């Protein structure tokens, strides 16, 4: 799954950067355990000159809030440890929501503007939460279309507790791209791995769209590829 995903990213990047536009390839990226294998493969490919990140701009999906960037569990640190610190990307082209700001709303608004100014996201890679969330768009009565601050559900905090020392240490909020920010991407690649995702994945395949299963909104996008290592 990871090799295929890395190849998919490389192919899309190649198509865009060999074109005449001169525009950077805009790549949306997730965190979590699922994309780690893809990141490892992309690093190998970058070292072998099979993929070049010098004309790539990235936007990460989400970040805990509040959190210091140097906290071992921040998504900022995750991205530098698992990808950005090991590839030839120009650091000024990396965009990650900051969990350090005092004004979360203007951080989110600025982020949307930056995505727009970059020309929109060409390829958005996402994972899937066990409760059907994408980024931190949690199941509920409604979804917010644009980048916003959100409360994490108890369920998500418990799931993510494995990376922290205790539940108290897991931030209760996060900043996340909204469902609309995700659906505006030209292409979406979703990676689904692990038994805990089975229920959410089956719900997706069910075909009904509901805010109780945020991933179901992918049915509204015309270009989604799902890669999974799961037997249903
Ligand atoms: C977090 C992230 C999601 C990610 C999910 C699944 O909650 N906000 O973007 O998709 O975890 O993570 P994992 O791949 O570790 O199962």
């Amino acid at each position: 799954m990871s090799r295929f995903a890395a190849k998919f990213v490389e192919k899309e990047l190649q198509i865009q950067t060999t074109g005449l536009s001169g525009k950077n390839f805009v790549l949306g990226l997730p965190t979590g355990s699922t994309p780690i294998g893809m990141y490892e493969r992309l690093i190998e490919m970058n070292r072998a000159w099979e993929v070049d990140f010098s004309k790539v701009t990235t936007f990460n999906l989400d970040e805990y809030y509040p959190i210091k960037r140097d906290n071992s569990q921040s998504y900022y640190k995750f991205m530098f440890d698992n990808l950005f610190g090991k590839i030839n990307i120009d650091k000024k082209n990396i965009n990650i929501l900051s969990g350090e700001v005092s004004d979360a709303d203007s951080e989110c608004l600025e982020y949307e503007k930056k995505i727009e100014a970059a020309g929109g996201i060409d390829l958005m890679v996402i994972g899937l939460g066990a409760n059907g969330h994408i980024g931190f768009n949690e199941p509920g009565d409604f979804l917010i279309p644009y980048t916003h601050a959100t409360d994490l559900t108890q369920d998500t905090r418990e799931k993510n507790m494995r990376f922290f020392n205790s539940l108290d240490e897991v931030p209760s909020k996060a900043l996340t791209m909204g469902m609309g920010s995700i659906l505006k991407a030209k292409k979406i690649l979703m990676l689904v791995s692990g038994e805990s995702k089975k229920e959410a994945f089956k719900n997706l395949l069910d075909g009904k769209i509901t805010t109780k299963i945020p991933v179901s909104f992918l049915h509204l996008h015309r270009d989604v590829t799902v890669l999974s290592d799961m037997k249903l």
Side-chain angles (χ1 to χ4, degrees):
M1 184 190 76
S2 298
R3 267 200 302 271
F4 201 103
K7 202 71 202 144
F8 191 103
V9 171
E10 184 265 334
K11 198 177 116 249
E12 290 302 318
L13 201 159
Q14 204 76 264
I15 293 168
Q16 170 90 33
T17 50
T18 50
L20 294 174
S21 75
K23 188 180 126 356
N24 268 19
F25 180 69
V26 184
L27 182 60
L29 293 171
T31 51
S33 11
T34 309
I36 290 178
M38 176 187 75
Y39 290 151
E40 284 170 354
R41 185 66 195 122
L42 283 172
I43 293 164
E44 282 169 23
M45 289 164 79
N46 186 234
R47 288 189 177 145
W49 295 104
E50 289 164 20
V51 61
D52 175 16
F53 288 92
S54 63
K55 288 180 75 188
V56 175
T57 296
T58 63
F59 285 90
N60 261 80
L61 249 188
D62 50 12
E63 176 60 287
Y64 287 116
Y65 187 80
I67 200 161
K68 292 271 178 218
R69 286 193 151 173
D70 61 6
N71 183 307
S72 61
Q73 297 312 323
S74 79
Y75 286 170
Y76 181 92
K77 181 141 178 31
F78 175 98
M79 289 308 300
F80 276 83
D81 289 351
N82 289 291
L83 186 67
F84 297 147
K86 299 173 179 173
I87 56 172
N88 73 329
I89 190 163
D90 186 338
K91 305 291 177 274
K92 75 171 184 331
N93 293 332
I94 296 171
N95 297 282
I96 305 179
L97 284 155
S98 172
E100 295 188 349
V101 295
S102 53
D103 186 347
D105 290 343
S106 54
E107 173 70 6
C108 293
L109 187 64
E110 283 308 308
Y111 206 65
E112 283 287 324
K113 285 186 190 159
K114 275 191 212 162
I115 295 174
E116 195 120 321
I121 294 172
D122 293 305
L123 174 64
M124 181 80 232
V125 185
I126 56 177
L128 175 63
N131 65 359
H133 75 203
I134 296 181
F136 277 125
N137 292 279
E138 297 279 45
D141 293 336
F142 57 86
L143 291 169
I144 296 179
Y146 40 81
T147 303
H148 61 281
T150 185
D151 291 324
L152 297 181
T153 58
Q154 183 70 5
D155 179 54
T156 294
R157 292 185 69 228
E158 281 166 10
K159 286 258 156 27
N160 290 2
M161 195 180 100
R162 65 189 195 277
F163 302 112
F164 293 82
N165 295 319
S166 68
L167 188 58
D168 286 347
E169 279 186 24
V170 185
S172 57
K173 288 179 183 290
L175 308 182
T176 182
M177 281 187 197
M179 195 53 72
S181 337
I182 295 164
L183 291 176
K184 269 196 270 178
K186 290 174 195 110
K187 262 181 207 266
I188 297 178
L189 173 65
M190 181 164 76
L191 309 181
V192 184
S193 173
E195 282 297 299
S196 66
K197 312 292 169 67
K198 208 167 200 163
E199 195 60 30
F201 196 31
K202 277 189 175 158
N203 284 334
L204 169 68
L205 299 180
D206 220 25
K208 297 189 192 81
I209 298 171
T210 162
T211 59
K212 309 279 187 239
I213 307 158
V215 66
S216 66
F217 276 72
L218 292 187
H219 284 292
L220 297 175
H221 197 281
R222 63 165 74 210
D223 194 343
V224 181
T225 302
V226 180
L227 294 177
S228 178
D229 58 5
M230 198 184 300
K231 275 206 181 81
L232 290 172

